[in-house]
Structure formats: structure tokens, C-alpha cells
Amino acid sequence: MKLLSLKLSNFRPFFGEHRLMFAKSHDRNITVIHGNNGAGKTALLNAFTWALYEKFTAALSSPEYLVNRRAIAEAKVGKTVDCWVEVGFEHDGKQYRLKRSCEVRKTKNGVEGSRNELFMQFCGDDGRWLSLPSSQKPEDVIVRILPKSLHQYFFFDGERIEQIWRSDKRPEIAEATKKLLGVESIDRALKHLNQARRTLEEELGGIGDAETKQLLSQKKQSEQDVEQIHARLSEIDRELSAQTQLKQQYTQCLLELSEVEQFQRQRDLLREQERELRDRLQECKKTLKRAISTRGYTVFLPPIAEQFRAIIKEREQRGELPADIKQTFVEDLLDRQRCICGAELHEGTTHREAVKAWLQKAGLAEVEAATYRVDAQVNELERQTEDFWREVDRAQATILQTKQRLAQIDQELDTISEQLRQSPREDIRQLQQRLDAVDQKVEGLTLEKGQCQEKQARREADVKQLAKQIKDRKLNQGKQRLAQRRIDAAQDAIDRLKQLKANQDVLFREQLEEQISKLYAEISFKPYVPRLSDKYELSLIEDMEGQDSIVGASTGENQILSLAFIGSIIERVREWSQAGLIMGPDSSTFPIVMDSPFGSLDEIYRRQVAKLLPALADQVIVMATQTQWRGEVEEEMLSRIGKVYVLTYNSPKPDLETDDIDCFGQRYPLVRQSPNEFEYTEILEVSRNG
């Protein structure tokens, strides 16, 4: 997706119509939008998310009020006021225009709203703009280009970006990331192949013997059970997500109550510590498993080593190690038929027999060398055993300490919850009761999810076993053999596609982690290494005496980590698309729209991020205040700027202190006196030739 334009009409602080065209060339791919706090930068960011996904960022206050207040005030009672946003973009060589609109009707008591509408057009090969076919919905076109669950990675509030990698919707994010790789094509193929296989099995059931029919019936029932369990697991995930949102709402309500704000903040801190400790516990267990799997065998070596050394000692006592005489030396004497003393060693002589007897006492040089080489290896393995036990003891001690601290946190959380349950204020008690109900619901759903997963695994094993039994049946008729071969071919294709999907996911995740580490190292000066789990959970790891330890990252580090994650997704998908590894339309171009991306960073990090941003995505739109922009940020990004706009805030406040900004030698107003009693924002394009 490449953004071409944004048009607004009466959207939030923007009165009337406004239009922005975005920089999109390779060498000048940055569009900068200057504006003071409160001028409309956040509203502009949300113009994108509302138009494309009907979503708003957390920073947007009162998202239900979209229509500009001046437009409403100037309208007559009974008249409607339109508010709309149009996004022009290009994807896979085709241009689109997407417009979302809503309207309100002015009444004597205020306004009445109506549902918004979404409309999309695309540019045909002949240059004419055409509406989408009735079989296509604009929403479906958008999510295929950029999934809704990934939109916060490309349209984000920079001051809150560090919250992205802490998201509780990791499974959803993982699936959405895979969609960018075109796995939906594989899923569709799997669906069609499964349908074909079932049709063939029904055909086989119609011509097979009684036992074959029974096995097919059992297999069909087990497959239906698997589908039902899978559907229930999806429902559980949705319910868990809904309960998580409820918990966040109740938690926020408690934070807004001054009497319990301290308790709630303490609880949030404890839960964050709990999350970090559980991550550490998992890492320690992985370390312990890795140590046992790679070096655990060394604990069984002492008896074998003792036996080996006994053999060496016995050979040393016999003079074979180290050998006084080598076998090759004795053999040379016998070949020459002359001893070193000058005696003849002809066949049948006593002298020859005496020398020949030394062959039994002499040692092979190869055996001697191998023996001492093995002895050195045994010594090294014994040293590894000591290291192994030290690592095991250290890991077990960490696990024990972590569990003890988790138990303390659990007790402290219970104490806080009990204090809130006993609060003299009814509203506090009710909120805590609701939180308790949510926790109980989550606990029940989590338990059911585990049971469903176990049941699903058993049913899938039944399906495989029944399929094997059906395949092993003796099929005498030609039609039966043909039907079975077709079933086998369909199942083989299904298995291969599943393996392809799994391999693709593993490879993408490994390369994504590598790219994240590379980008993070370019920005951060700290020796931390990002790690990405199979659930796309991102964490920072520090090497502590050979053992990985999860780092409690600061806000700035989390922001850098999130930027590295976003940039890595873009880079990996871009490379896979260019290499032809993605099954679907071209997905090699992505925009990034950022509101205040430098607010939480110090000077060093600001410079590093500003240097990285132009290469992070094919197109970058940055909204920043003068303070956030000037200095090292402007220095690093100036050469890549293609378009510049200024948000001019018109204020009706008397005795207003105006504010200006200098852009390419010209002054543009950031804050100026409103010509009427309304406050509103205008968008001014900066001329680079002035």
C-alpha cells in the first residue's frame, strides 16, 4: 500500500475541506506535518484509521464526536452536516479511493447522528474510476491489503508505541502477520483439498465392504468432532479477548477513583512484575531443559570412565601402555630376518621364535594414540559434568526464587483485592466484584481451553489411526483401489501444504527475529538482544554469565523495540514478496504514519531513530511539534523530505499569544487569532521554492 492523498471535510477540528498529497518517491519519501499540541495531529492520524478500519487510537478523546463543531453551529436546525474522510492509495499497481462518511442532523437540543457509510472506487485500465463489483466489500479489500489487527503497527501514536509489544492479542497479531505472507492461499487450498478428500471417501464408502464403511464412518465422526472443538476454541479465544477488554475497562474505572488509585497502581505494578517473573520462569525452564538434553548424559559417565581407566591401568601394568616396543619395529626385524644384536632370524630358529613372541607384548601406535585421545576426552567430559551440575543448580535456584516471589505477589494481589472488596464505598466494591467475576470467567475459559486442546489432540490421533487402517485394507476391486489412490494423493497434498505452512511460519519468524535484532542494535547502545517467541511475544534478553535473563526495559527501550519490530515486519515481507515467496498480490510496499514519534526519547536515541525512519518503510508520514522536530531530528531527515504541511490552529481566545514556524525560509502560522468565535484547524502546504 502506498498512500497518495488524504481529503477531509468537517472532520474533528478541520472545518471545511482539506487535502494533503504525500511524498512517495524513493529518495524523498517523507511527509512532515507540523503542529502544536491540540492542533489536530492526533485527529489527522485517526482520520486514516477511521476511514480504513473504523478504529481510533487510545489518544483520541471523545471519538463519538467526529463532526466539526463550527460546521454544526453554522448549520440551521433540521439540516444535516456531512463529515467525511477520503484516502487515496495504490496497491499492486492499482489505484483506489476509499471514502467513509457520516452525518448528523442539527436539532433544537443538539444533534442526532446516523450510521457511517463506506464507499470505494478503483481506477480501471482505461483511466476511468469504477465502483467495486457488488460481490466485493470495501472492508474485505482493505483487510487483504493490510489486516485490521496489524493497522496499529503502521498508524500509531509514537508516545504510546511502547505498548504495542505488550499487547494481549498476540495470537491475533501472529495470524495477521501470517496473512501478509499470503497464507490465506494455503488455507483455501487446504479447505478445497479436504472437501475433495471427503467426497472421495464417500465414494469409497459406497463401493467398499462393510468394515471399510464402518472405518470411514468413524473417521468422519472424529473429523466432525475436531471441527466442533476447533470452533469452540475460537469462541473461547473471542470470549477471553472480550473478558480482557472488560478487565481493562474496570481497571481504568478504578484508576479514576482517587481513593483507590494508589491501590490500583500498586496492583498494576505487581501484575507487571508477575508477567516478567513468569517470562523469566519460562526462560529458566528452557535453559534447564536445554542443559539436560545436551549435557545430561555426562552424569552417567563416571562408572564407564572408571571402567575405562581400569583397562588403561591393566595395560600399563602389562607394559602395553606406553609400549616399550612397537609392533612395527618387531615386524621389521622379522622381515629383515636379523635381530639388532646381529643374530639371524630364519624360519624355524629359536631366535626367530623368541623375537616373534614380542609381537604379543608390543603395542600398536594407533591404539596407543587413540587410547590417550579418548582419555583426554573423558577428562573433558568429567569437567563438563561439573559445569552441568553448576548450571542445573543455578537454574533450579532461580526457578525456586522466582516461584517464591510469584507466591508473594499472588498474596499481595489478594490483599489488595480484599481491601477493595471491603471498601466502605459501594461503587468500589462493585468494581472489584466485577473484576473478580472476570477473573473467575477467565479461569474457567482457560481451563476449558486446555481440556478442548487435549480432546482435539486425541481426536486428531484417532483420525490418523483410522486413516491408516482404511489405507491398509485389502482392496480387491479396481474402483476401490482407484478411490483409495485418489484419497492418498489428496491427503499427501494436504500434509505437504500443512508442512509448507509450518515451515514458512518458522522461517519467517526466525528471519524476523534476526532483523529485529539488527535494527535494535543500530539504534540502542545497550547489549540487549530481542527474542521473538512462537506466539510473536517480544522480549529483551541480557546474557548474565552464560544464562539468558529477561530485561525490564524502560519506556524508551520499549519504544525502540516496537519501532524495530514494525520495521522488521515491513522489511521481511518486502524481501519475501520480491523473492516470490509470498502467495498472493504484491505486498512489498508499506507506509508508516506516526504521531509524535520522538517524545519519550533522549537526544542520542532521537538521532538514531530519525536516521532509521526513512529506511524503515517505503513511505513515512511524521507529525511533530517544533520541539520534537528541531535539532538532530531535522538534521537527519531533511534530505529525505518530499512534502511539508503546517496545521494552523485558529483560536478565539482573547489576548492570544500567536506562534509561527520557519519552513524553508518562510514563516507559517501554528497558532493565530480566529476571525470568529470558533476554534478550528486549517492545513497549509509549505512551498519548498519560496
Side-chain angles (χ1 to χ4, degrees):
M1 172 188 278
K2 182 175 288 186
L3 296 172
L4 303 177
S5 63
L6 178 70
K7 296 181 182 179
L8 310 156
S9 178
N10 294 330
F11 181 79
R12 298 287 289 193
F14 301 101
F15 173 72
E17 291 190 18
H18 299 272
R19 181 185 183 188
L20 298 91
M21 303 295 291
F22 301 115
K24 55 184 185 295
S25 65
H26 177 72
D27 57 338
R28 291 189 178 273
N29 63 335
I30 298 178
T31 299
V32 181
I33 302 173
H34 297 290
N36 283 358
N37 292 328
K41 298 190 302 298
T42 300
L44 208 57
L45 173 66
N46 281 270
F48 287 102
T49 60
W50 178 68
L52 293 169
Y53 304 103
E54 202 175 358
K55 290 285 186 179
F56 301 101
T57 65
L60 186 74
S61 61
S62 305
E64 65 275 14
Y65 300 114
L66 295 179
V67 184
N68 180 264
R69 286 182 290 180
R70 177 184 172 184
I72 294 174
E74 293 183 350
K76 295 180 179 180
V77 174
K79 295 294 183 179
T80 60
V81 182
D82 291 329
C83 161
W84 53 263
V85 174
E86 180 185 290
V87 180
F89 63 93
E90 179 182 304
H91 182 72
D92 199 22
K94 185 179 292 186
Q95 290 189 20
Y96 296 86
R97 289 194 306 216
L98 179 136
K99 183 177 182 179
R100 190 181 295 274
S101 62
C102 71
E103 63 178 28
V104 295
R105 188 170 65 89
K106 186 173 181 178
T107 66
K108 293 180 179 179
N109 299 322
V111 294
E112 294 178 351
S114 64
R115 293 180 60 184
N116 65 69
E117 295 181 352
L118 186 62
F119 177 71
M120 176 180 279
Q121 290 181 313
F122 67 95
C123 187
D125 295 336
D126 58 0
R128 292 189 302 167
W129 286 95
L130 306 171
S131 300
L132 287 178
S134 57
S135 59
Q136 284 187 308
K137 294 182 178 180
E139 297 92 333
D140 297 335
V141 175
I142 290 298
V143 297
R144 281 199 299 270
I145 295 172
L146 190 60
K148 181 186 291 188
S149 51
L150 277 182
H151 83 275
Q152 70 267 33
Y153 291 110
F154 301 93
F155 304 90
F156 58 85
D157 178 358
E159 293 180 347
R160 292 176 172 81
I161 187 178
E162 76 278 357
Q163 299 175 6
I164 287 178
W165 73 288
R166 295 179 178 176
S167 171
D168 57 349
K169 297 183 179 180
R170 288 296 169 190
E172 182 181 345
I173 291 170
E175 289 303 312
T177 304
K178 294 173 189 176
K179 285 182 181 179
L180 292 176
L181 307 181
V183 296
E184 286 181 320
S185 301
I186 300 178
D187 291 336
R188 284 195 296 270
L190 287 170
K191 180 181 179 181
H192 294 153
L193 281 168
N194 273 306
Q195 291 173 346
R197 177 181 56 77
R198 289 172 185 171
T199 301
L200 291 168
E201 286 178 345
E202 290 176 0
E203 179 184 336
L204 178 60
I207 60 178
D209 56 26
E211 188 171 350
T212 300
K213 291 180 180 178
Q214 183 180 3
L215 289 171
L216 285 168
S217 176
Q218 292 175 355
K219 182 171 179 287
K220 183 177 181 180
Q221 183 59 52
S222 295
E223 288 174 339
Q224 290 175 348
D225 291 344
V226 170
E227 289 179 356
Q228 291 175 358
I229 295 170
H230 182 73
R232 178 53 188 157
L233 283 170
S234 298
E235 290 177 3
I236 291 173
D237 285 336
R238 287 193 294 271
E239 290 181 35
L240 283 171
S241 178
Q243 292 298 319
T244 300
Q245 291 178 5
L246 274 178
K247 188 170 185 176
Q248 291 173 346
Q249 292 175 10
Y250 298 150
T251 300
Q252 185 60 37
C253 289
L254 282 173
L255 275 173
E256 292 172 358
L257 298 174
S258 58
E259 291 86 345
V260 295
E261 181 182 1
Q262 182 179 355
F263 287 116
Q264 188 55 40
R265 293 198 181 280
Q266 177 65 18
R267 182 153 60 182
D268 289 344
L269 178 61
L270 288 170
R271 283 175 175 158
E272 178 65 19
Q273 292 176 2
E274 181 184 30
R275 186 189 66 80
E276 293 176 356
L277 286 170
R278 293 198 181 281
D279 288 342
R280 186 186 305 169
L281 187 63
Q282 289 182 354
E283 286 298 324
C284 285
K285 288 184 176 180
K286 287 180 183 178
T287 300
L288 188 59
K289 289 179 181 178
R290 187 163 53 248
I292 293 173
S293 64
T294 57
R295 290 185 290 164
Y297 69 92
T298 60
V299 302
F300 301 103
L301 289 179
I304 301 173
E306 185 178 347
Q307 184 180 1
F308 171 74
R309 290 197 174 94
I311 294 172
I312 293 177
K313 186 175 182 181
E314 180 185 348
R315 287 183 175 272
E316 287 174 343
Q317 290 173 347
R318 293 204 304 261
E320 296 177 10
L321 290 174
D324 295 328
I325 299 176
K326 305 298 182 186
Q327 262 191 5
T328 52
F329 174 73
V330 178
E331 289 172 349
D332 288 342
L333 294 178
L334 293 173
D335 289 341
R336 291 197 303 269
Q337 296 186 351
R338 183 177 294 277
C339 183
I340 58 174
C341 65
E344 299 289 337
L345 301 177
H346 298 296
E347 289 287 345
T349 63
T350 57
H351 294 299
R352 183 178 179 88
E353 293 301 321
V355 172
K356 195 173 183 180
W358 278 100
L359 284 175
Q360 305 300 321
K361 300 179 181 180
L364 289 172
E366 295 83 356
V367 173
E368 182 179 339
T371 300
Y372 289 123
R373 187 166 59 250
V374 172
D375 185 44
Q377 292 173 347
V378 169
N379 292 334
E380 176 61 28
L381 286 173
E382 286 183 329
R383 284 193 291 271
Q384 287 186 19
T385 303
E386 297 176 1
D387 295 339
F388 166 76
W389 282 121
R390 279 195 293 269
E391 184 174 359
V392 168
D393 290 342
R394 186 167 57 245
Q396 288 181 330
T398 303
I399 289 172
L400 179 61
Q401 293 172 1
T402 304
K403 286 182 176 180
Q404 290 174 343
R405 179 54 187 151
L406 283 171
Q408 292 175 358
I409 289 176
D410 188 54
Q411 186 175 357
E412 291 175 25
L413 286 170
D414 284 343
T415 301
I416 292 174
S417 297
E418 187 60 30
Q419 288 176 320
L420 296 177
R421 292 187 195 104
Q422 302 299 326
S423 172
R425 285 187 52 172
E426 183 178 358
D427 55 346
I428 295 175
R429 294 198 305 272
Q430 288 179 348
L431 282 171
Q432 182 57 48
Q433 289 169 2
R434 291 172 184 171
L435 281 172
D436 291 341
V438 168
D439 287 338
Q440 292 174 7
K441 182 71 172 177
V442 169
E443 184 178 351
L445 288 169
T446 304
L447 178 61
E448 184 184 356
K449 183 176 181 178
Q451 293 171 337
C452 286
Q453 288 172 334
E454 290 181 5
K455 189 175 180 181
Q456 184 181 36
R458 290 197 300 269
R459 290 291 180 271
E460 288 175 345
D462 292 342
V463 169
K464 289 183 180 179
Q465 180 61 32
L466 289 166
K468 185 177 183 300
Q469 292 177 7
I470 293 169
K471 186 176 181 179
D472 293 341
R473 292 282 302 154
K474 225 176 207 183
L475 305 174
N476 298 319
Q477 299 180 23
K479 288 185 178 180
Q480 287 180 279
R481 288 196 295 272
L482 178 61
Q484 185 61 59
R485 285 199 300 272
R486 288 175 174 173
I487 292 171
D488 292 344
Q491 187 60 53
D492 181 63
I494 290 170
D495 293 340
R496 289 175 184 271
L497 281 176
K498 286 182 177 178
Q499 189 61 50
L500 172 64
K501 184 178 177 181
N503 291 345
Q504 188 185 44
D505 178 43
V506 172
L507 179 60
F508 181 78
R509 191 160 28 84
E510 288 176 351
Q511 292 185 356
L512 183 61
E513 182 182 72
E514 181 182 351
Q515 184 69 18
I516 292 170
S517 298
K518 177 183 175 182
L519 290 180
Y520 185 83
E522 288 182 17
I523 304 174
S524 179
F525 53 82
K526 293 191 176 180
Y528 302 150
V529 179
R531 289 282 172 82
L532 190 66
S533 73
D534 56 356
K535 296 180 181 179
Y536 284 74
E537 295 169 332
L538 196 57
S539 57
L540 277 179
I541 302 297
E542 184 179 13
D543 187 351
M544 300 289 289
E545 298 180 354
Q547 184 174 351
D548 289 343
S549 177
I550 295 178
V551 177
S554 65
T555 299
E557 287 160 354
N558 290 339
Q559 183 171 350
I560 294 169
L561 190 64
S562 298
L563 281 170
F565 182 65
I566 293 168
S568 299
I569 288 179
I570 294 173
E571 181 62 24
R572 289 295 97 193
V573 173
R574 178 194 294 145
E575 289 190 4
W576 276 43
S577 182
Q578 292 173 349
L581 299 175
I582 291 180
M583 301 178 183
D586 175 61
S587 300
S588 59
T589 304
F590 292 98
I592 283 185
V593 182
M594 299 175 290
D595 177 17
S596 305
F598 308 103
S600 303
L601 301 177
D602 58 28
E603 181 180 346
I604 296 177
Y605 280 162
R606 280 160 56 87
R607 182 176 295 279
Q608 292 299 100
V609 169
K611 185 184 299 183
L612 176 67
L613 279 177
L616 199 63
D618 302 273
Q619 191 179 30
V620 179
I621 299 173
V622 179
M623 305 178 213
T625 64
Q626 285 197 82
T627 304
Q628 294 168 344
W629 178 255
R630 64 166 60 111
E632 58 277 354
V633 175
E634 183 177 13
E635 291 173 9
E636 295 294 339
M637 302 181 73
L638 187 61
S639 63
R640 299 292 295 271
I641 295 174
K643 287 281 187 179
V644 181
Y645 293 90
V646 173
L647 302 183
T648 299
Y649 173 68
N650 293 269
S651 174
K653 180 181 177 181
D655 302 324
L656 178 71
E657 183 177 348
T658 61
D659 191 14
D660 296 329
I661 185 173
D662 183 84
C663 295
F664 303 107
Q666 293 189 73
R667 300 295 294 177
Y668 292 86
L670 286 169
V671 178
R672 67 183 176 190
Q673 188 71 48
S674 174
N676 48 53
E677 71 273 22
F678 301 107
E679 63 170 345
Y680 58 96
T681 298
E682 297 174 283
I683 303 176
L684 304 180
E685 183 174 1
V686 172
S687 172
R688 299 197 59 177
N689 299 321

